[in-house]
């Protein structure tokens, strides 16, 4: 009798395993009118500055801005990586709660807001719930913050109204431990515009800068004509009186005042005095 029950349990488990593939059930969704979008281009988006390391809980809801994307208008959050970061590890999760989930899409942009890369839903793994987390879509990847300092997270219209059936957490654990499959129903989640996501930023390397040394510029004042005449005449008079030390002292003062012809006046006065 026990053997019979065991065989029945195994048969049920195998049947459940065969039904674990993803299902899609189309449900009509009204598109968001273009009159509600916040901005005409990415440069005008409201950007949220990030720290070098940060964990953020994101709520996509009616308070989120609406943007225009290639696959339709959508609620979004836009982020700018820290200028101190160079290589960054990003973990993005979309939580499956109350039979619904956001099908997240992430696009990265360069400093001129050109799109560099776009994720697709099949890049996300499905992580079953445990004692600490809910069942969720999960994506982990690295970015070069100097090349792609901006990224946007939004729910794509391409998946709205569809549903996905995922393995029950008890089934996942039974498969991992090699135990008999439990008699549980796999949950189904509908893709919605609104939901909860988690974003984790970890800086792997910091950006280095070369110090810029600014050269001091000294403003050179031009001596007035009266000042030039005074020093030139005083130098000539000192030389004529054979007071060379005084003439040299006047010459040094004239040079400090940027009287360029003072030296030639001094030399000419010496030559005239020798005659």
């Amino acid at each position: 009798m026990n053997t019979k029950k065991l065989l029945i349990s195994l048969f049920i488990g195998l049947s459940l395993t065969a039904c674990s593939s993803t299902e899609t059930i189309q449900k009509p969704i009204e598109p968001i009118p273009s009159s509600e979008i916040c901005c005409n281009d990415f440069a005008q988006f409201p950007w949220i500055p990030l720290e070098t390391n940060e964990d953020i809980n994101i709520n996509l809801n009616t308070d989120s801005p609406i943007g225009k994307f290639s696959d339709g208008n959508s609620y979004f959050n836009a982020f700018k990586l820290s200028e101190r970061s160079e290589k960054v590890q990003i973990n993005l999760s979309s939580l499956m709660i109350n039979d619904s989930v956001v099908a997240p899409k992430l696009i990265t942009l360069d400093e001129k807001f050109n799109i560099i890369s776009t994720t697709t839903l099949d890049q996300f793994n499905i992580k079953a719930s445990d004692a600490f987390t809910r069942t969720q879509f999960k994506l982990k990847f690295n970015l070069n913050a100097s090349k792609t300092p901006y990224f946007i997270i939004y729910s794509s219209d391409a998946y709205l109204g569809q549903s996905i059936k995922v393995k029950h957490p008890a089934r996942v654990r039974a498969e991992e431990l090699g135990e008999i499959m439990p008699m549980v129903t796999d949950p189904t989640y509908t893709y919605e515009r609104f939901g909860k996501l988690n974003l984790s930023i970890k800086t792997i390397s910091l950006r280095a800068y070369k110090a810029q040394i600014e050269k001091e510029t000294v403003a050179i004042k031009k001596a007035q004509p009266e000042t030039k005449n005074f020093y030139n005449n005083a130098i000539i008079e000192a030389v004529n009186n054979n007071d060379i030390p005084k003439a040299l002292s006047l010459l040094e003062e004239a040079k400090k005042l940027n009287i360029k012809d003072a030296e030639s006046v001094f030399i000419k006065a010496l030559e005239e005095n020798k005659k």
Side-chain angles (χ1 to χ4, degrees), residues 49-54 80-82 85 201 203:
L50 295 170
E51 301 292 337
T52 51
N53 297 287
E54 195 163 359
K80 183 181 185 300
L81 293 168
S82 170
S85 300
I201 304 294
T203 294

Side-chain angles (χ1 to χ4, degrees), residues 78-235:
F79 301 92
K80 183 181 185 300
L81 293 168
S82 170
E83 293 184 357
R84 296 184 60 210
S85 300
E86 179 66 23
K87 189 176 181 181
V88 176
Q89 183 183 89
I90 293 179
N91 282 279
L92 176 62
S93 301
S94 179
L95 306 182
M96 300 183 183
I97 304 173
N98 297 332
D99 302 326
S100 67
V101 64
V102 169
K105 197 165 186 178
L106 186 148
I107 56 178
T108 64
L109 303 97
D110 63 16
E111 59 183 6
K112 295 183 179 179
F113 302 100
N114 299 309
I115 295 177
I116 301 301
S117 65
T118 304
T119 65
T120 56
L121 191 58
D122 56 11
Q123 291 177 256
F124 286 78
N125 295 318
I126 295 178
K127 184 179 183 299
S129 66
D130 53 31
F132 305 101
T133 61
R134 293 178 177 271
T135 301
Q136 58 192 262
F137 283 116
K138 196 169 185 66
L139 177 66
K140 179 179 178 181
F141 64 101
N142 293 338
L143 276 182
N144 186 319
S146 60
K147 294 180 179 178
T148 51
Y150 301 98
F151 65 92
I152 303 168
I153 298 170
Y154 69 99
S155 55
S156 173
D157 266 8
Y159 302 101
L160 293 180
Q162 299 180 25
S163 295
I164 181 172
K165 180 180 285 188
V166 300
K167 290 182 180 180
H168 193 284
R171 285 188 56 204
V172 175
R173 284 189 287 273
E175 289 177 355
E176 291 174 349
L177 299 173
E179 297 177 347
I180 297 174
M181 288 296 164
M183 297 181 65
V184 292
T185 302
D186 291 332
T188 299
Y189 297 93
T190 303
Y191 294 120
E192 302 284 356
R193 285 198 174 104
F194 303 137
K196 292 186 177 182
L197 302 94
N198 179 263
L199 175 66
S200 175
I201 304 294
K202 181 181 179 182
T203 294
I204 300 173
S205 62
L206 294 171
R207 196 182 311 186
Y209 293 90
K210 289 186 177 180
Q212 299 292 329
I213 301 175
E214 295 184 2
K215 294 182 179 179
E216 293 185 2
T217 55
V218 179
I220 300 174
K221 295 182 179 180
K222 189 176 181 181
Q224 296 296 319
E226 296 83 0
T227 305
K228 289 175 62 177
N229 292 334
F230 168 79
Y231 275 95
N232 288 340
N233 292 333
I235 290 170

